[in-house]
Amino acid sequence: QVQLQESGPGLVKPSETLSLTCTVSGYSISSGYYWGWIRQPPGKGLEWIGSIYHSGSTYYNPSLKSRVTISVDTSKNQFSLKLTSVTAADRAVYYCARGTSATGTDAWGQGTLVTVSS
Amino acid sequence: EIVLTQSPGTLSLSPGERATLSCRASQSVSSSYLAWYQQKPGQAPRLLIYGASSRATGIPDRFSGSGSGTDFTLTISRLEPEDFAVYYCQQFGTSPPGYTFGQGTKLEIK
């Protein structure tokens, strides 16, 4: 049973960089799937941020692309999100997840709330 | 960029009734890449349907998906108390590659 767990600071200052890590257990990232990040502002809908394949190929939401970097560390079975120049609009619950375009996003972390405030 | 519009925004029904949720795309979507999710308060979304009509592992058969092109539907044949939640559709597009979610439909108890 695959499990995903987000970790990282819950509070980030405006203009700084949000950094989160997702640790995967029960499945090797190297075995396949795309690994991605989705966020949800409190009380609002879901927004896909970006995804990465174990080989390192990535694709990002065009609206966030200039600020987002997703990377993978197969030796630690982790993947990470960096979002630069954050503002209050980036306050959200951030989920890491596993999926494919054809089989949907079938495994999710529990989510972590990140607040942007000085 | 494809936009997904879900309707209605809120659906008020009673347990035992049939629920029909709509997801309309701004341009044609591959059925292979259309999924539905259920989200309850304080929880991560749960995959219900992928490929427009295939149930994910462990999903009861009262949930079914259908549709093609620009119009897709999630049907819950007979509502159980645990089905009251927010539902999202999602598509994967290839140009540019990436995912889009609908804005969600809240299914509430009448």
Side-chain angles (χ1 to χ4, degrees), chain B residues 5-24:
Chain B
T5 301
Q6 293 186 239
S7 61
T10 301
L11 184 58
S12 300
L13 293 171
S14 300
E17 291 192 295
R18 180 185 186 90
T20 303
L21 286 67
S22 173
C23 176
R24 178 163 290 177

Side-chain angles (χ1 to χ4, degrees), chain A residues 18-24 29 34-37 49-60 68-83 96:
Chain A
L18 179 160
S19 296
L20 295 174
T21 296
C22 183
T23 301
V24 180
I29 286 180
Y34 273 88
W35 304 87
W37 293 92
I49 299 170
S51 299
I52 187 166
Y53 196 53
H54 68 83
S55 62
S57 61
T58 55
Y59 48 97
Y60 301 127
V68 173
T69 301
I70 297 176
S71 58
V72 64
D73 186 338
T74 54
S75 67
K76 295 181 179 179
N77 221 35
Q78 295 175 333
F79 60 104
S80 298
L81 168 70
K82 290 190 185 301
L83 180 66
C96 60

Side-chain angles (χ1 to χ4, degrees), chain A residues 53-116:
Chain A
Y53 196 53
H54 68 83
S55 62
S57 61
T58 55
Y59 48 97
Y60 301 127
N61 186 323
S63 68
L64 298 170
K65 186 175 182 178
S66 63
R67 299 195 291 133
V68 173
T69 301
I70 297 176
S71 58
V72 64
D73 186 338
T74 54
S75 67
K76 295 181 179 179
N77 221 35
Q78 295 175 333
F79 60 104
S80 298
L81 168 70
K82 290 190 185 301
L83 180 66
T84 62
S85 305
V86 298
T87 69
D90 295 310
R91 178 176 184 261
V93 174
Y94 285 75
Y95 296 100
C96 60
R98 177 188 84 168
T100 74
S101 55
T103 58
T105 305
D106 68 346
W108 297 69
Q110 65 185 23
T112 186
L113 175 63
V114 178
T115 298
V116 178

Side-chain angles (χ1 to χ4, degrees), chain B residues 10-92:
Chain B
T10 301
L11 184 58
S12 300
L13 293 171
S14 300
E17 291 192 295
R18 180 185 186 90
T20 303
L21 286 67
S22 173
C23 176
R24 178 163 290 177
S26 58
Q27 54 187 281
S28 186
V29 170
S30 169
S31 297
S32 298
Y33 298 157
L34 194 287
W36 289 92
Y37 300 83
Q38 176 194 68
Q39 187 179 34
K40 296 180 180 180
Q43 296 183 16
R46 176 174 72 145
L47 176 66
L48 298 175
I49 301 289
Y50 64 92
S53 60
S54 297
R55 272 187 301 277
T57 302
I59 301 303
D61 60 8
R62 65 179 181 273
F63 290 91
S64 63
S66 63
S68 64
T70 60
D71 290 298
F72 297 88
T73 300
L74 175 70
T75 302
I76 310 171
S77 60
R78 188 175 172 83
L79 286 166
E80 298 287 343
E82 62 268 26
D83 298 337
F84 292 91
V86 179
Y87 292 83
Y88 294 94
C89 58
Q90 176 206 47
Q91 69 89 30
F92 177 80

